[in-house]
Amino acid sequence: MEGMSICIAAASSGGGLPWAGGLRRPPQSPKARAGTGPTWPEVARVLACLFEKDVEFQLIRPNNYKGLKRMPSLKGPRFKFRQGGEEGKMTLVDSRKICRRITEKYVDEGNKDLLGTGTLERASIERWLQTEARRFDPPSSALVLHLAFAPLMELEQDKEEIEQNKQKLNEVLDTYEKRLQETKFLAGDKFTLADLSHLPNAQFLASNDECRSLIRSRKMVSGWWDQISLRPSWQRVVEMQQEIRVI
């Protein structure tokens, strides 16, 4: 099978070893290489997709951002997906596009439901992927920045912006609560990329004292989070993140 590489041209907050979290060290060249650490939400999203598709990969650790004295951006890590062996090499930027491409490339491997099997199913998945990218990601990323990164970097938190983004998330999650009264997962009754894409930032929300109620105060959203966060693919990513934090 043709190889591929996933490169990230940015510094990472993650430290630790280049091989961690029970990654398989393949005897030959891996199908994918992922640079930077799994603590970045954008990186974690791609890693979860790779695990769901059961694609062997190598995690490469660049230098971390020790000494950085400005607020980082969770949009900072820019993934470059290069598909080798094809006429006119393809380069993709953005973790969601990379997840789509991985899913399309390895359609017969691992979880075959991530992008759906029919036109209507695929349309529903795309709809909720757009909802995540446009409505859930901006306020949740802002909360990760202000509540997780700012204290670590001894930067002042913007309390007003924190409250504004909480309110935006309340509105989005109210929509999710209604949707999940009708279906088991966002795009239907199967776990798809629409759910997977939420995992990195939702992990922070569910584990942070100031944000946990955003998830847990909604019965259907809380149950949905329990289902998607306990998937083996995401548990492996969390294990990688925890190993790096203790090294």
Side-chain angles (χ1 to χ4, degrees):
M1 183 174 289
E2 296 170 355
M4 71 175 185
S5 65
I6 300 174
C7 309
I8 304 170
S12 166
S13 62
L17 301 174
W19 290 88
L23 289 183
R24 295 160 292 171
R25 187 192 297 268
Q28 299 178 345
S29 298
K31 295 176 183 176
R33 292 184 177 86
T36 200
T39 51
W40 283 101
E42 297 278 352
V43 181
R45 181 178 291 115
V46 174
L47 293 179
C49 182
L50 288 166
F51 281 133
E52 282 285 338
K53 295 303 293 179
D54 197 26
V55 175
E56 291 181 340
F57 64 92
Q58 180 181 7
L59 183 64
I60 304 169
R61 178 180 63 87
N63 295 328
N64 60 28
Y65 64 71
K66 184 177 180 181
L68 186 63
K69 296 301 182 182
R70 61 183 178 82
M71 180 71 80
S73 168
L74 295 190
K75 303 301 183 184
R78 296 178 65 79
F79 295 77
K80 292 183 179 179
F81 173 97
R82 296 188 182 90
Q83 183 62 54
E86 296 181 2
E87 182 177 352
K89 291 185 178 179
M90 176 185 297
T91 299
L92 295 177
V93 176
D94 177 74
S95 63
R96 294 169 187 81
K97 290 182 179 180
I98 292 171
C99 288
R100 285 187 180 92
R101 181 57 180 161
I102 291 170
T103 303
E104 292 168 347
K105 171 66 180 177
Y106 301 104
V107 63
D108 293 323
E109 299 188 35
N111 187 338
K112 300 177 178 62
D113 296 319
L114 288 184
L115 268 182
T117 56
T119 302
L120 292 178
E121 201 173 6
R122 177 68 179 262
S124 181
I125 293 169
E126 291 293 346
R127 172 194 169 192
W128 288 100
L129 276 170
Q130 290 298 319
T131 300
E132 184 276 328
R134 295 176 181 177
R135 297 188 60 198
F136 179 85
D137 183 74
S140 60
S141 290
L143 290 175
V144 173
L145 288 174
H146 286 282
L147 296 176
F149 283 95
L152 291 174
M153 300 176 67
E154 299 181 351
L155 298 175
E156 184 178 354
Q157 294 175 313
D158 188 329
K159 299 297 184 182
E160 182 177 351
E161 185 169 348
I162 289 172
E163 291 305 315
Q164 289 175 350
N165 282 292
K166 281 184 180 179
Q167 182 55 41
K168 291 177 182 178
L169 268 181
N170 271 318
E171 295 172 3
V172 176
L173 292 174
D174 281 346
T175 300
Y176 285 21
E177 183 74 3
K178 293 179 182 178
R179 171 62 175 175
L180 292 167
Q181 291 173 0
E182 303 170 355
T183 57
K184 186 176 181 180
F185 298 99
L186 287 175
D189 291 324
K190 297 177 182 178
F191 175 84
T192 69
L193 281 183
D195 307 289
L196 182 150
S197 194
H198 288 78
L199 283 166
N201 284 357
Q203 176 74 34
F204 172 79
L205 297 177
S207 60
N208 180 269
D209 291 340
E210 192 167 341
C211 297
R212 186 176 295 114
S213 64
L214 290 167
I215 301 290
R216 293 306 183 187
S217 64
R218 295 170 172 85
K219 179 181 178 180
M220 304 309 295
V221 170
S222 181
W224 166 75
W225 168 247
D226 287 339
Q227 290 185 77
I228 68 174
S229 63
L230 290 177
R231 292 187 68 83
S233 59
W234 184 245
Q235 287 299 302
R236 292 179 74 179
V237 176
V238 172
E239 288 173 4
M240 292 170 67
Q241 294 173 335
Q242 292 173 341
E243 285 191 17
I244 282 179
R245 289 188 181 110
V246 300
I247 292 175

